[in-house]
């Protein structure tokens, strides 16, 4: 009897100690039922933090302190929790006052009152996240300064070539000498400027992508011929492919640019030769692995892995490789890996880099897998080589840059078209309203003052529902209105800078296309 009382007293003292620890802990602690999600116990810190009485909290569930838009995701995660696994993560919570704050959650399975339950510790990290965001903004501004300086330097060099060659061409014409060599210099500098702009757009993720379903294995196969010319004979190339298709939604040319840049870097990391392994694989990412990319969906992904036996990178170098204009090379802009980063993320993909000094480098380019369906044969490039033809139709050209507007008008006029020019979307819409029966095609710049090309198109469509349109753009946000219009109605897009031959060909193709 005495022994039973002693055990009872010991149990009571133990329970009191644990309750004291539970109540005295400064962080909010909850225990909730694993099946009903209803709170079974809460400590004093939770009562103070959330503004509910203990009785009110014990009538609530874990869903009740979440913003409405987070509830569905939380339900999905709660139904997947099994066993005693430890879970962590940052969530948004809502207090009785309606205030939203961010908490870092740690949760663990336990048994409470004979039922499966989970214990949750919540740590308010709102202020910490705010300071982290301030630091990120500061770093972003510093990177923007580096970017602006690098762009100014490179473009000033190119402008120097263009202006100098222009003067020499004028002198040659005045002296009766051939100006062709200087014109070629101007054209080459223009192409380099266009390439620099394309890299900048890739870095900022605002270039126009022409994506289609493609098998990642076939894309790698198509790239191999070019790759073998790049790496040289002193580098062994090993290619490994998965037996099953790896269907992704990607821009083939941009994907090739990513692989070319990464393999070129791998080659340069092996000045005395070595080995590059190019491997395709199917991989799986769970929520924990995607912690730094909350926009990415857990599940199966396709990946290309580039492994080299080169010099590798130190930790400080590895931390900066995706910064714009950061480079360890004596030549180059330093935009290569920044461009790779932009292209991959614009594809909603992931980049993983593992490198140690003296141990080589592994880069993984991961893209979301599509359902296992073969790409259609019709998904090919819309550019066709052939003679550029003109016509007699009336075209409406809306472009806010005067020099480009004049150049487009002259080019199309020389091909026989009647060209009506507008300086912005507002003027273009007025011209169409007065000439709706004669205008066969509108060429609209996406970004213009007063009324952009997309908005002008919507107004024009009300007047001329069957109007054919070509949009021109230097960039387009990932989910721009123009992308939706192109997908829905099949209108064409020309990405700046385009050649006059590309313009003429696209105009003729659009005019000759069916309704």
């Amino acid at each position: 009897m005495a022994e039973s009382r002693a055990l009872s007293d010991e149990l009571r003292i133990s329970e009191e100690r644990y309750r004291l620890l539970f109540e005295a802990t400064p962080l909010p602690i909850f225990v909730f039922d694993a099946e009903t999600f209803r709170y079974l116990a809460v400590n004093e810190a939770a009562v103070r933090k959330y503004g509910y009485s203990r009785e009110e909290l014990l009538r609530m569930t874990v869903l009740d302190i979440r913003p409405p838009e987070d509830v569905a995701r939380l339900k999905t995660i709660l139904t997947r929790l099994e066993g005693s696994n430890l879970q962590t993560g940052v969530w948004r919570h809502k207090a009785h006052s309606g205030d939203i704050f961010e908490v870092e959650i740690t949760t663990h399975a336990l048994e409470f009152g004979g039922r499966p339950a989970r214990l949750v510790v919540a740590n308010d990290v709102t202020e910490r996240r705010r300071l982290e965001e301030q630091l990120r903004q500061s770093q972003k501004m510093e990177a923007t300064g580096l970017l602006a300086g690098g762009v100014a330097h490179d473009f000033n060099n190119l402008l120097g070539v263009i202006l100098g060659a222009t003067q020499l061409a004028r002198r040659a014409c005045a002296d009766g000498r051939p100006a062709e060599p200087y014109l070629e210099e101007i054209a080459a500098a223009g192409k380099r400027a266009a390439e620099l702009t394309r890299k900048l757009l890739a870095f900022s993720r605002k270039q126009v992508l022409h994506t289609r379903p493609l098998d990642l294995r076939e894309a790698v196969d198509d790239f191999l011929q070019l790759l073998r010319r790049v790496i040289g004979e002193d580098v062994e190339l090993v290619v490994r492919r998965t037996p099953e298709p790896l269907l992704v939604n990607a821009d083939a040319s941009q994907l090739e640019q990513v692989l070319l840049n990464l393999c070129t870097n791998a080659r340069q990391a092996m000045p005395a030769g070595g080995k590059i392994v190019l491997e395709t694989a199917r991989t799986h990412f769970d929520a924990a692995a995607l912690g730094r990319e909350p926009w990415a969906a857990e599940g199966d992904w396709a990946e290309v892995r580039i492994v080299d036996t080169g010099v590798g990178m130190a930790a400080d170098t590895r931390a900066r490789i995706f910064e714009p204009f950061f480079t360890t090379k004596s030549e180059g802009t330093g935009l290569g890996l920044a461009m790779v980063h932009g292209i991959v993320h614009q594809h909603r993909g992931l980049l993983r880099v593992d490198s140690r000094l003296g141990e080589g480098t592994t880069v993984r380019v991961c893209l979301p897998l599509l359902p296992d369906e073969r790409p259609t044969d019709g998904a090919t490039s819309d550019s066709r080589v052939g003679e550029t033809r003109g016509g007699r139709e009336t075209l409406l050209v809306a472009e806010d840059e005067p020099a480009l507007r004049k150049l487009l008008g002259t080019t199309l006029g020389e091909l026989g078209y009647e060209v009506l020019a507008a300086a912005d979307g507002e003027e273009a819409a007025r011209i169409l309203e007065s000439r709706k029966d004669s205008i066969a095609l509108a060429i609209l710049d996406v970004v213009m003052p007063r009324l952009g090309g997309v908005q002008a198109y919507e107004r024009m469509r009300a007047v001329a529902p069957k109007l054919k349109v070509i949009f021109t753009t230097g960039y387009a946000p990932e989910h721009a209105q123009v992308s939706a219009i192109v997908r829905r109605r099949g209108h064409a897009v020309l990405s700046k800078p385009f050649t006059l031959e590309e313009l003429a060909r696209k105009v003729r193709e659009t005019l000759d296309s069916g309704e």
Side-chain angles (χ1 to χ4, degrees):
M1 192 71 171
E3 184 179 350
S4 177
R5 277 199 305 270
L7 287 174
S8 179
D9 290 343
E10 185 177 337
L11 179 60
R12 178 179 53 79
I13 293 172
S14 176
E15 288 178 348
E16 288 177 354
R17 286 173 178 169
Y18 280 105
R19 177 157 294 279
L20 178 62
L21 290 173
F22 182 78
E23 290 295 343
T25 301
L27 295 178
I29 301 178
F30 305 89
V31 178
F32 69 89
D33 189 289
E35 295 177 358
T36 66
F37 309 147
R38 185 172 297 279
Y39 289 122
L40 302 175
V42 296
N43 70 349
E44 184 61 29
V47 172
R48 291 195 306 268
K49 180 66 180 177
Y50 290 83
Y52 295 96
S53 68
R54 191 182 302 269
E55 292 72 21
E56 287 176 317
L57 283 170
L58 293 177
R59 291 195 297 268
M60 297 165 61
T61 72
V62 295
L63 306 177
D64 295 326
I65 62 169
R66 262 65 174 193
E69 58 270 25
D70 294 353
V71 170
R73 178 172 169 241
L74 177 61
K75 281 183 178 179
T76 301
I77 291 177
L78 289 176
T79 55
R80 294 177 181 175
L81 294 179
E82 294 179 358
S84 60
N85 54 321
L86 182 70
Q87 297 288 328
T88 61
V90 175
W91 285 85
R92 297 191 306 161
H93 278 188
K94 183 176 69 173
H96 185 272
S97 63
D99 292 340
I100 304 294
F101 52 92
E102 291 183 288
V103 292
E104 191 171 55
I105 291 295
T106 303
T107 176
H108 197 279
L110 51 77
E111 187 174 292
F112 191 90
R115 289 186 58 80
R118 297 197 74 87
L119 180 141
V120 177
V121 180
N123 181 24
D124 188 342
V125 294
T126 306
E127 180 64 15
R128 188 188 82 191
R129 303 266 285 194
R130 185 185 68 81
L131 294 174
E132 289 174 350
E133 180 60 26
Q134 285 183 349
L135 177 60
R136 281 193 293 270
Q137 289 298 326
S138 175
Q139 292 171 335
K140 188 183 297 183
M141 293 303 296
E142 182 180 355
T144 300
L146 291 171
L147 186 65
V151 170
H153 175 270
D154 286 357
F155 267 109
N156 278 335
N157 287 341
L158 294 171
L159 289 173
V161 172
I162 292 171
L163 294 174
T166 300
Q167 288 181 325
L168 293 174
R170 284 175 173 171
R171 291 178 186 176
C173 291
D175 297 341
R177 293 181 288 109
E180 185 67 24
Y182 307 118
L183 296 177
E184 290 177 356
E185 286 290 338
I186 294 170
K191 289 179 180 178
R192 291 199 298 274
E195 176 67 14
L196 179 58
T197 302
R198 188 179 64 80
K199 290 180 178 181
L200 290 170
L201 290 174
F203 165 69
S204 66
R205 308 175 203 174
K206 290 185 177 180
Q207 65 181 341
V208 178
L209 293 181
H210 302 288
T211 60
R212 64 179 179 87
L214 57 86
D215 189 338
L216 194 58
R217 303 173 309 163
E218 295 178 1
V220 170
D221 286 344
D222 293 341
F223 170 67
L224 288 179
Q225 185 175 0
L226 173 63
L227 176 60
R228 289 192 170 92
R229 291 198 298 267
V230 169
I231 63 175
E233 296 181 356
D234 58 340
V235 173
E236 178 187 0
L237 176 63
V238 177
V239 181
R240 299 171 183 153
R241 305 173 185 82
T242 54
E244 74 276 8
L246 296 172
L247 198 61
V248 298
N249 195 40
D251 183 318
S253 64
Q254 294 300 316
L255 183 58
E256 182 178 278
Q257 184 66 46
V258 166
L259 296 176
L260 178 62
N261 195 292
L262 294 175
C263 290
T264 300
N265 282 357
R267 173 65 185 92
Q268 292 173 343
M270 299 181 292
K275 181 167 72 173
I276 293 178
V277 177
L278 192 62
E279 184 175 12
T280 62
R282 178 187 292 258
T283 190
H284 182 86
F285 288 114
D286 57 19
L290 297 173
R292 293 183 178 273
E293 293 94 359
W295 44 264
E298 58 180 302
D300 289 335
W301 291 61
E303 75 170 68
V304 180
R305 192 178 299 126
I306 299 102
V307 184
D308 69 61
T309 58
V311 296
M313 291 180 281
D316 56 342
T317 300
R318 191 170 64 251
R320 299 187 61 193
I321 56 175
F322 296 121
E323 291 182 12
F325 293 101
F326 172 76
T327 179
T328 59
K329 304 171 187 174
S330 59
E331 298 181 358
T333 64
L335 272 174
L337 287 176
M339 179 190 67
V340 166
H341 188 273
I343 292 174
V344 172
H345 278 254
Q346 199 175 4
H347 279 81
R348 310 297 288 175
L350 305 172
L351 267 177
R352 295 287 191 267
V353 179
D354 182 29
S355 183
R356 298 290 184 275
L357 200 59
E359 298 181 11
T361 299
T362 298
V363 181
R364 298 167 61 200
V365 178
C366 307
L367 300 175
L369 268 174
L370 293 177
D372 289 334
E373 299 173 2
R374 300 297 300 169
T376 59
D377 293 337
T380 57
S381 171
D382 62 1
S383 60
R384 292 190 291 269
V385 178
E387 182 181 357
T388 301
R389 295 185 295 111
R392 298 296 175 187
E393 294 91 338
T394 299
L395 311 180
L396 172 59
V397 176
E399 169 60 57
D400 62 308
E401 171 55 47
L404 182 55
R405 184 170 66 249
K406 181 179 179 180
L407 184 63
L408 297 179
T410 300
T411 300
L412 296 171
E414 289 180 354
L415 289 172
Y417 299 108
E418 178 188 1
V419 180
L420 306 175
D424 55 51
E426 190 80 43
E427 184 180 0
R430 288 200 305 269
I431 292 174
L432 182 82
E433 289 169 0
S434 63
R435 297 281 303 269
K436 63 179 181 180
D437 294 329
S438 60
I439 295 176
L441 171 69
I443 302 172
L444 305 175
D445 187 19
V446 172
V447 179
M448 292 185 289
R450 297 211 291 170
L451 200 66
V454 175
Q455 294 76 23
Y457 165 77
E458 294 293 357
R459 184 184 296 185
M460 293 174 175
R461 195 165 63 92
V463 178
K466 295 184 179 181
L467 177 69
K468 295 181 178 180
V469 177
I470 296 175
F471 290 105
T472 65
T473 179
Y475 70 90
E478 191 171 350
H479 300 295
Q481 291 170 289
V482 65
S483 299
I485 290 174
V486 169
R487 286 195 301 269
R488 189 167 63 249
R489 300 193 179 95
H491 296 309
V493 175
L494 271 176
S495 299
K496 297 178 181 177
F498 48 80
T499 66
L500 300 180
E501 289 80 5
E502 289 172 335
L503 169 68
R505 184 166 58 247
K506 184 63 69 175
V507 166
R508 194 65 258 164
E509 288 176 354
T510 305
L511 288 169
D512 293 341
S513 64
E515 295 295 331

